[in-house]
Amino acid sequence: MRLGVLDIGSNTVHLLVMDAHRGARPLPAYSHKEELRLAEHMEDGERLSEAGAERLLKCVEHAVRIAEDKGVEDLMAFATSAVREAANGEEVLERVRAATGVGIEVLSGQDEARLTFLAVRRWFGWSSGRLLVLDIGGGSLEIASGLDEQPDVAVSLPLGAGRLTRGRFTADPPPPAEARELRRHVRAEIARTVAAVTRYGRPDHAVATSKTFRQLARIAGAAPSAEGFGVRRVLRHADLVEWAGRLVTMSARERAALPGVSEGRAPQLPAGAIVADAAMDLLEVDELEVCPWALREGVILRRLDAMPES
């Protein structure tokens, strides 16, 4: 069947259409993204503004029309940290449901970590042994580790690249004192979780997902996306340390000129690099392999697992 998954994140609304059935790898058929930046539409830091709610509604309506045009039989929609943390998030989602008929599931941070972990496990298989999975979104950092399809530990921290850029930096590029203070803050937050993540043992395979990690890997020398999913892409900590130091001294325009860096993501890449550097350092990871599957694929896999066998 043709499935669609609508991901309402802090930065974008992303519709992914896949052809899938039980026991087979889902195959991507179509992808559509719209810049939304929900987190920038917060009033008093906690309520989604009327303009933001209306923009979200229009994006969902557009995605529904595209899904219908592409022959989607089952559309699953979910929202992450920006909606989850909005005081009026449920009210806004009910408004969207009433207008479009689309029910949007609000995922917890741990749900995000678990579903991303499931997707990574299915992509790399059992031969990878104990997996460590890191994902940096716009609003949060997810960390998961385990031997099975469900991780032994799943952690979500408020260390998303967009959140930190808005809340911690006052200029672009950020003043050195702000960059140092962000580094201190991020490392203190991650350090509190290290024992919980490592208590089950060191990973056999450390993996990264998300646009932030893909962009960091690309500027550090990984193959471009045009070469396809099957190409192995890695991010080495030694390379990341160098780039984390350089990115905070560059303007957003200079970052956007780097290979693989989009104009929309360029402003938050320094904060993302600081988080990635801290996570790799504190978890003692020398190298991360970038996985092409992440949360959206995890949602589809969960849906397929729940389907009755024909």
Side-chain angles (χ1 to χ4, degrees), residues 23-88:
R25 174 183 292 190
L27 299 174
Y30 185 79
S31 177
H32 171 77
K33 295 180 185 178
E34 290 190 52
E35 291 284 339
L36 182 57
R37 302 197 177 281
L38 272 183
E40 296 178 6
H41 290 280
M42 292 296 177
E43 295 177 330
D44 303 322
E46 61 178 23
R47 291 181 61 82
L48 188 60
S49 69
E50 176 60 26
E54 186 63 23
R55 178 85 174 101
L56 173 60
L57 174 58
K58 296 299 182 185
C59 285
V60 174
E61 288 176 335
H62 189 205
V64 169
R65 289 195 295 271
I66 293 173
E68 291 173 352
D69 289 345
K70 298 301 178 182
V72 168
E73 301 172 62
D74 186 359
L75 178 64
M76 299 159 286
F78 67 88
T80 54
S81 63
V83 174
R84 183 169 67 232
E85 295 171 11
N88 60 337

Side-chain angles (χ1 to χ4, degrees), residues 132-152:
L132 171 66
V133 179
L134 305 179
D135 182 291
I136 301 172
S140 58
L141 162 69
E142 274 70 52
I143 305 172
S145 178
L147 280 167
D148 300 317
E149 291 200 334
Q150 289 296 317
D152 297 320

Side-chain angles (χ1 to χ4, degrees), residues 84-150:
R84 183 169 67 232
E85 295 171 11
N88 60 337
E90 291 294 337
E91 173 188 328
V92 170
L93 294 186
E94 176 55 29
R95 175 175 162 185
V96 171
R97 187 204 62 75
T100 66
V102 176
I104 300 171
E105 178 184 6
V106 179
L107 297 179
S108 70
Q110 286 190 326
D111 287 338
E112 288 188 58
R114 293 188 184 105
L115 288 166
T116 301
F117 186 90
L118 171 63
V120 173
R121 171 60 74 194
R122 294 281 178 90
W123 180 268
F124 287 112
W126 298 110
S127 62
S128 287
R130 174 168 292 281
L131 283 173
L132 171 66
V133 179
L134 305 179
D135 182 291
I136 301 172
S140 58
L141 162 69
E142 274 70 52
I143 305 172
S145 178
L147 280 167
D148 300 317
E149 291 200 334
Q150 289 296 317

Side-chain angles (χ1 to χ4, degrees), residues 62-286:
H62 189 205
V64 169
R65 289 195 295 271
I66 293 173
E68 291 173 352
D69 289 345
K70 298 301 178 182
V72 168
E73 301 172 62
D74 186 359
L75 178 64
M76 299 159 286
F78 67 88
T80 54
S81 63
V83 174
R84 183 169 67 232
E85 295 171 11
N88 60 337
E90 291 294 337
E91 173 188 328
V92 170
L93 294 186
E94 176 55 29
R95 175 175 162 185
V96 171
R97 187 204 62 75
T100 66
V102 176
I104 300 171
E105 178 184 6
V106 179
L107 297 179
S108 70
Q110 286 190 326
D111 287 338
E112 288 188 58
R114 293 188 184 105
L115 288 166
T116 301
F117 186 90
L118 171 63
V120 173
R121 171 60 74 194
R122 294 281 178 90
W123 180 268
F124 287 112
W126 298 110
S127 62
S128 287
R130 174 168 292 281
L131 283 173
L132 171 66
V133 179
L134 305 179
D135 182 291
I136 301 172
S140 58
L141 162 69
E142 274 70 52
I143 305 172
S145 178
L147 280 167
D148 300 317
E149 291 200 334
Q150 289 296 317
D152 297 320
V153 58
V155 176
S156 180
L157 300 173
L159 299 177
R163 178 199 300 270
L164 296 177
T165 301
R166 290 187 303 274
R168 297 278 175 165
F169 290 162
T170 60
D172 179 64
E178 291 181 359
R180 286 196 301 273
E181 175 56 24
L182 177 59
R183 185 178 184 275
R184 185 205 64 76
H185 168 71
V186 166
R187 285 175 174 260
E189 287 287 313
I190 294 175
R192 297 190 186 106
T193 72
V194 168
V197 174
T198 59
R199 63 178 294 192
Y200 297 98
R202 291 191 57 79
D204 299 302
H205 192 181
V207 177
T209 68
S210 77
K211 188 71 170 180
T212 295
F213 274 117
R214 288 197 298 272
Q215 290 186 342
L216 290 170
R218 178 71 185 97
I219 64 175
S225 58
E227 293 191 16
F229 276 0
V231 176
R232 186 174 187 266
R233 296 173 174 86
V234 299
L235 175 62
R236 295 176 179 84
H237 187 230
D239 296 330
L240 176 59
V241 170
E242 178 184 347
W243 274 106
R246 292 174 62 182
L247 288 168
V248 295
T249 67
M250 301 169 70
S251 68
R253 178 176 294 181
E254 290 171 326
R255 292 179 220 119
L258 296 171
V261 179
S262 65
E263 184 177 348
R265 300 274 182 157
Q268 63 188 48
L269 197 57
I274 288 171
V275 174
D277 172 30
M280 293 185 76
D281 187 16
L282 292 167
L283 292 168
E284 299 182 0
V285 174
D286 294 327

